[in-house]
Amino acid sequence: MTDPCPSGAALSEAEAFLATHPDVQAIDILLHDSNGIGRGKIIRRHELESLYRSGRHLPISILGLDVVGEDVHETGLIWDAGDGDLRAWPVPGSLVRQHGTDPARAELLLSQYHLDGTPMLSDPRHALTRQVAAMAQLDLHPTAAFELEFFLLDPERDAQGRVQPARDVLDGRRSTRTEVYSVDQLIGMQPLLDDIYAGAALAGITAETVISEYAPGQYELTLRHRDDILQAADDLVRLKRIVRAQARRRGVVACFMAKPLADFAGSGMHLHVSLRDGTGSNAMAEAEGAPFADTLRHAIGGTLATMAESMLVFAPHANSWRRFADQSYAPVSPVWGVNNRSVAVRVPVGERRARRLEHRPAGVDANPYLVAATVLAAMRKGITERIDPGPETTGNAYASEAGAQIPRDWNAAIAAASASAFLKDALGTEMHRTFTAVKAAEYARVARTIPDVDFELYLHRV
């Protein structure tokens, strides 16, 4: 290789892939920014080996973009750095074939490094890598899985200009009702779901149960847990892209907004995490007949103690905050409970050997790398400081007094995150600066935009 690859990717991976897939003509190469949006290029087949040998120069400004791809100068990643090139390198094991492309294409994840090979710390993947390493210092190793909720929408709006559920791809029927757990509703989307499963299989992702969720046109896919939480986050960003691409090929819009329908529940991105010790045993599992293990209790305590200042990571956009409403299956209080879906941190029922926590605040619009990094940092804080989570919440957590501890709007969350020493440690100084600057710029964009509802309410009345 011309240069040592700092990511650990080997040229032999590219050589073997090209030999196995002689029909692949192009490769989508993707670097994920602070919003979790994949940005990059489509390269041709003959360019792949050189990428593994020498990396690929990409501008530093890619990591300083807002959600629509505009430069955010306050990140310090644009003209302060001369918009110079850094080098992106392949993520080992991430070169996969895509389903349904013609001519055949592949996909490759990238991570950004400085020219000297040190990690570029405004890359969200590096933020998660840091927290995995910090947890390993405690001889604890996270295993994890995300849940993916999303909407399938019609590309055409209804007569009132509102988004509407997609018609079934099987026979064109449409339901505008909540079809929660309806198997018949799933059958109507079966051809599309089959494509999604096929795409996931090619990507090495084990997508498991699919359900019709708690809103018209809403679905949930569960993923098999990974022993490597980085891999779990990779699975999530890849699966979103697979769902979006396969839906588009079927004439359907896959929507990952947190709250696309005003009168129905939004879409979450629940994260299930357990910790293995050096022997491979579940460090969160209690002894037979004993109360919950201290490792589990203190990990929960850390997530609750840091939740207010972390909410911007879990709800990063203006639309994210529309998801938090009473009795909407989105948590509004930093409380925990067992087998209770109204709490922010839930301990699912099940076998002791599978003991874990389910972190529920994040919307599906959040960046999974930053969500996982923040949750791990909070768990580590709880474990090292032995933070007591307080009593379990039973019944309706929406009535909890603790709700006042969580910011109630986007602007307050930006302020809390910007001032948070914990979040600066969780994300790293550079990633924290980049992320909060991007969010402040997006808030300013939204704040200066006059929505239609202003004219509806005030034009002829005030």
Side-chain angles (χ1 to χ4, degrees):
M1 298 178 71
T2 304
D3 294 302
C5 178
S7 70
L11 176 61
S12 57
E13 178 183 343
E15 293 171 335
F17 182 88
L18 292 173
T20 304
H21 303 282
D23 58 330
V24 168
Q25 299 301 307
I27 302 94
D28 301 359
I29 58 173
L30 298 166
L31 176 71
H32 289 88
D33 67 11
S34 64
N35 279 308
I37 296 172
R39 302 188 186 277
K41 303 180 179 184
I42 300 177
I43 65 172
R44 306 305 298 172
R45 177 185 179 88
H46 69 272
E47 299 177 89
L48 181 64
E49 291 185 23
S50 67
L51 173 57
Y52 276 78
R53 288 191 183 96
S54 305
R56 184 84 180 205
H57 287 112
L58 290 176
I60 190 173
S61 57
I62 283 182
L63 297 175
L65 302 176
D66 69 8
V67 72
V68 297
E70 297 284 354
D71 289 340
V72 178
H73 297 280
E74 293 80 3
T75 63
L77 302 180
I78 315 300
W79 297 123
D80 289 4
D83 196 18
D85 282 345
L86 297 184
R87 208 173 326 193
W89 292 89
V91 171
S94 69
L95 178 60
V96 298
R97 186 185 180 100
Q98 296 186 62
H99 173 66
T101 53
D102 185 17
R105 292 209 321 275
E107 179 183 272
L108 176 66
L109 301 186
L110 304 177
S111 199
Q112 188 83 301
Y113 293 81
H114 292 287
L115 298 180
D116 65 1
T118 58
M120 198 291 164
L121 297 179
S122 287
D123 181 332
R125 207 170 187 279
H126 292 315
L128 179 52
T129 300
R130 285 180 61 253
Q131 291 304 327
V132 171
M135 194 67 87
Q137 293 297 310
L138 304 179
D139 198 23
L140 294 172
H141 311 278
T143 69
F146 287 94
E147 296 175 6
L148 180 67
E149 295 179 354
F150 58 95
F151 283 81
L152 296 176
L153 302 177
D154 196 302
E156 302 295 330
R157 304 288 184 93
D158 68 13
Q160 286 73 44
R162 299 170 301 195
V163 296
Q164 57 184 335
R167 295 183 181 277
D168 290 351
V169 297
L170 187 66
D171 58 11
R173 286 190 285 176
R174 188 200 328 266
S175 172
T176 57
R177 302 175 62 87
T178 297
E179 301 278 2
V180 65
Y181 284 93
S182 168
V183 175
D184 285 345
Q185 183 69 16
L186 297 177
I187 290 171
M189 288 295 181
Q190 196 62 53
L192 170 54
L193 296 173
D194 288 343
D195 285 336
I196 292 169
Y197 280 115
L202 284 178
I205 299 169
T206 305
E208 298 187 324
T209 304
V210 62
I211 66 170
S212 178
E213 258 288 0
Y214 203 67
Q218 188 184 33
Y219 300 84
E220 178 188 276
L221 266 174
T222 59
L223 299 172
R224 182 174 294 177
H225 86 278
R226 292 283 197 175
D227 290 335
D228 179 356
I229 196 170
L230 268 165
Q231 186 69 65
D234 289 343
D235 285 352
L236 199 285
V237 295
R238 301 197 100 147
L239 188 57
K240 286 177 71 172
R241 193 162 189 261
I242 289 165
V243 171
R244 184 177 282 116
Q246 300 308 322
R248 190 173 184 180
R249 291 189 178 100
R250 294 281 182 176
V252 172
V253 174
C255 174
F256 299 103
M257 291 171 62
K259 181 80 166 178
L261 301 180
D263 298 327
F264 295 92
S267 292
M269 188 176 68
H270 304 158
L271 172 59
H272 294 251
V273 187
S274 62
L275 298 171
R276 303 289 176 185
D277 63 22
T279 70
S281 299
N282 187 347
M284 288 182 159
E286 70 276 12
E288 181 72 40
F292 285 140
D294 284 347
T295 301
L296 174 61
R297 286 183 50 80
H298 296 322
I300 293 171
T303 63
L304 300 183
T306 58
M307 191 167 292
E309 57 201 302
S310 304
M311 281 303 297
L312 185 63
V313 173
F314 310 141
H317 306 294
N319 179 259
S320 308
W321 292 86
R322 305 189 191 282
R323 175 171 162 259
F324 296 98
D326 287 351
Q327 302 179 52
S328 64
Y329 287 95
V332 297
S333 302
V335 294
W336 74 283
V338 179
N339 196 26
N340 185 337
R341 286 183 170 84
S342 67
V343 298
V345 179
R346 171 178 175 252
V347 179
V349 294
E351 297 179 271
R352 289 183 299 111
R353 63 185 181 86
R355 189 68 70 217
R356 65 192 186 277
L357 64 80
E358 178 190 6
H359 190 271
R360 296 175 57 81
V364 75
D365 56 341
N367 183 332
Y369 298 110
L370 299 187
V371 169
T374 303
V375 171
L376 282 190
M379 292 170 64
R380 179 168 56 87
K381 178 181 176 70
I383 292 167
T384 57
E385 298 179 14
R386 300 186 64 82
I387 298 175
D388 190 331
E392 172 194 350
T393 294
T394 58
N396 183 8
Y398 294 114
S400 171
E401 294 291 329
Q405 298 178 28
I406 288 183
R408 284 299 190 230
D409 61 57
W410 192 27
N411 193 34
I414 292 171
S418 298
S420 172
F422 162 75
L423 198 61
K424 186 175 291 187
D425 174 70
L427 303 183
T429 301
E430 292 179 40
M431 186 73 251
H432 178 266
R433 182 190 65 240
T434 298
F435 179 66
T436 54
V438 166
K439 294 298 107 182
E442 291 175 1
Y443 177 83
R445 175 191 289 270
V446 171
R448 66 175 176 261
T449 302
I450 302 174
D452 289 344
V453 69
D454 280 19
F455 295 104
E456 180 184 337
L457 292 176
Y458 310 125
L459 179 62
H460 299 295
R461 293 182 176 86
V462 297

